[in-house]
Amino acid sequence: MSYKVAVVGATGNVGREMLSVLAERAFPASEVVALASTLKVKALDYYDFKGTDICLMSAGGAVSKAWSPRIAEAGAIVIDNSSTWRMDRKVPLIVPEVNPDALDAGIPKGIVANPNCSTAQLVVALKPLHEAATIKRLVVSTYQSVSGAGKEAMDELFRQTRAVFVADPIEAKLFTKQIAFNVIPHIDAFLDSGYTKEEWKMMVEVQKILDPDIQMTVTCVRVPVFIGHSEAVTAEFEKPITAGEARALLREAPGVLVVDKHEDGGYITPVEAAGEDAAYVSRIRKDPTVEHGLALWVVSDNLRKGAALNAVQIAECLVNRNLLRKAV
Ligand SMILES: NC(=O)c1ccc[n+]([C@@H]2O[C@H](COP(=O)([O-])OP(=O)(O)OC[C@H]3O[C@@H](n4cnc5c(N)ncnc54)[C@H](OP(=O)(O)O)[C@@H]3O)[C@@H](O)[C@H]2O)c1
């Protein structure tokens, strides 16, 4: 059987990558319709979703809030990339390597959520370690690329970098401070707790996907990298687990590639992860400050595993598990 797939936000960073990933993985699509706000592609406002099986949605939270229920009502399953539906109890939040079975509890709203980009790569790397030794507490610091904030954010880094070299004035429009040759410890809105919404999202999404009992503290930082998010992770476990055991488990884990030679260059950086599918794990070592602890470094392409690839993998799960409405 083949399916009619709509991609909403098709001109954006994630949407363009979704179109590539659908083609690369030979997703069984009879038709792929590209939708955005402009007439270069089909205009969302005038599109009739009747007959669409799957809608890959990456046009931001406001568009998703208004459109996802309507599209689901027309009969499609919406796989949404925004944060709008992720913590809704009636919406499964899925990373196919980690919790695909959560789909079997049903998709009552016709919407499945994709996690935040930094969450997806983290849970792929942590799942095998959690299964083996039960994570009690996590401390995560992120180093997030500008593409995570959309195509205009990439342009801002480019413009500012150029301006530094030609001694033009630096204009900061999207980011609150200069991003070129700088790092900014602030992503998304500030909450009353002092954490940012990006940090809160990682904490609650890890709990929803992996285990509600995991305690977490997170610092999310924007860095002047175009593509690829990095994360320094320290995990405290209930049971003993050595760095060697973790390395062996991660080598077998789906979606993970271990590059961990303890020597110059024996680790992965975002430039090498860009365009790739894996969550790369490097720098695996013992955290000697707790009884059972490990430290590691996780890097992945935020537009792929963090968004487009994960969404297409969810679509594949829906097909394989006969969860599309057409197949019911
Ligand atoms: N970038 C990441 O790493 C990442 C990871 C996970 C989740 N996400 C989420 O994915 C979504 C998209 O992110 P992005 O990075 O791709 O953003 P982006 O590069 O800014 O692209 C936004 C897309 O949304 C479309 N759009 C905006 N308003 C629209 C409207 N009223 N009707 C129809 N289409 C509209 C734009 O179309 P036009 O060009 O026609 O305006 C464009 O295609 C966001 O919710 C983001 O939080 C992003």
Side-chain angles (χ1 to χ4, degrees):
M1 199 183 298
S2 59
Y3 302 91
K4 185 170 178 188
V5 181
V7 176
V8 178
T11 55
N13 271 347
V14 174
R16 280 179 301 193
E17 205 66 34
M18 282 170 165
L19 295 171
S20 313
V21 175
L22 284 169
E24 282 165 26
R25 297 175 73 90
F27 187 82
S30 56
E31 191 183 344
V32 177
V33 185
L35 302 159
S37 64
T38 59
L39 288 173
K40 281 179 284 175
V41 292
K42 288 195 184 178
L44 174 60
D45 281 349
Y46 301 103
Y47 189 69
D48 180 359
F49 281 90
K50 240 179 248 139
T52 302
D53 300 296
I54 302 168
C55 176
L56 303 176
M57 190 85 179
S58 71
V63 176
S64 177
K65 197 167 181 188
W67 278 92
S68 296
R70 287 194 237 170
I71 297 170
E73 188 124 311
I77 299 272
V78 177
I79 302 171
D80 183 49
N81 268 274
S82 78
S83 60
T84 308
W85 307 99
R86 289 179 195 151
M87 297 314 293
D88 187 317
R89 281 171 194 275
K90 294 189 171 157
V91 173
L93 176 63
I94 302 292
V95 176
E97 294 89 341
V98 180
N99 66 336
D101 295 345
L103 285 170
D104 296 334
I107 311 172
K109 290 195 169 174
I111 303 170
V112 180
N114 216 50
N116 200 26
C117 34
S118 41
T119 305
Q121 66 185 65
L122 180 67
V123 292
V124 167
L126 292 180
K127 159 91 170 177
L129 307 182
H130 185 55
E131 268 183 352
T134 314
I135 297 169
K136 279 203 311 204
R137 178 171 178 266
L138 287 170
V139 181
V140 182
S141 299
T142 71
Y143 305 72
Q144 295 180 223
S145 69
V146 293
S147 58
K151 57 188 183 214
E152 283 174 29
M154 296 177 85
D155 293 343
E156 184 152 315
L157 172 59
F158 185 85
R159 272 197 311 274
Q160 287 185 0
T161 306
R162 187 191 158 280
V164 169
F165 280 111
V166 299
D168 272 353
I170 305 283
E171 260 190 84
K173 282 190 192 153
L174 248 151
F175 296 111
T176 50
K177 303 214 178 194
Q178 175 181 326
I179 183 66
F181 305 98
N182 201 7
V183 296
I184 305 176
H186 166 202
I187 302 178
D188 210 335
F190 273 92
L191 306 176
D192 290 345
S193 59
Y195 282 87
T196 62
K197 197 166 169 211
E198 186 80 355
E199 292 160 348
W200 173 83
K201 282 185 276 188
M202 181 181 270
M203 300 188 258
V204 293
E205 289 175 22
V206 166
Q207 288 171 336
K208 181 165 174 178
I209 297 168
L210 210 54
D211 188 335
D213 291 335
I214 294 175
Q215 300 286 302
M216 274 183 90
T217 179
V218 178
T219 306
C220 288
V221 181
R222 189 73 72 190
V223 296
V225 166
F226 281 107
I227 295 176
H229 288 357
S230 309
E231 296 168 346
V233 183
T234 15
E236 184 181 352
F237 298 88
E238 260 169 31
K239 296 176 231 161
I241 180 166
T242 66
E245 286 162 352
R247 208 170 287 120
L249 286 167
L250 288 166
R251 283 216 170 95
E252 300 298 318
V256 176
L257 277 177
V258 176
V259 177
D260 193 25
K261 291 185 193 153
H262 294 178
E263 62 187 38
D264 293 356
Y267 43 81
I268 288 284
T269 62
V271 164
E272 297 148 295
E276 302 293 331
D277 288 349
Y280 289 91
V281 184
S282 307
R283 307 284 330 273
I284 305 165
R285 61 210 189 275
K286 180 182 166 71
D287 170 7
T289 64
V290 292
E291 197 183 356
H292 308 303
L294 291 174
L296 36 111
W297 174 248
V298 183
V299 184
S300 194
D301 182 328
N302 51 294
L303 301 178
R304 291 180 72 88
K305 188 57 206 169
L309 171 65
N310 197 68
V312 174
Q313 287 174 313
I314 292 173
E316 291 169 349
C317 281
L318 297 175
V319 169
N320 295 338
R321 290 170 183 241
N322 267 345
L323 291 170
L324 289 168
R325 286 159 175 194
K326 184 189 209 162
V328 172

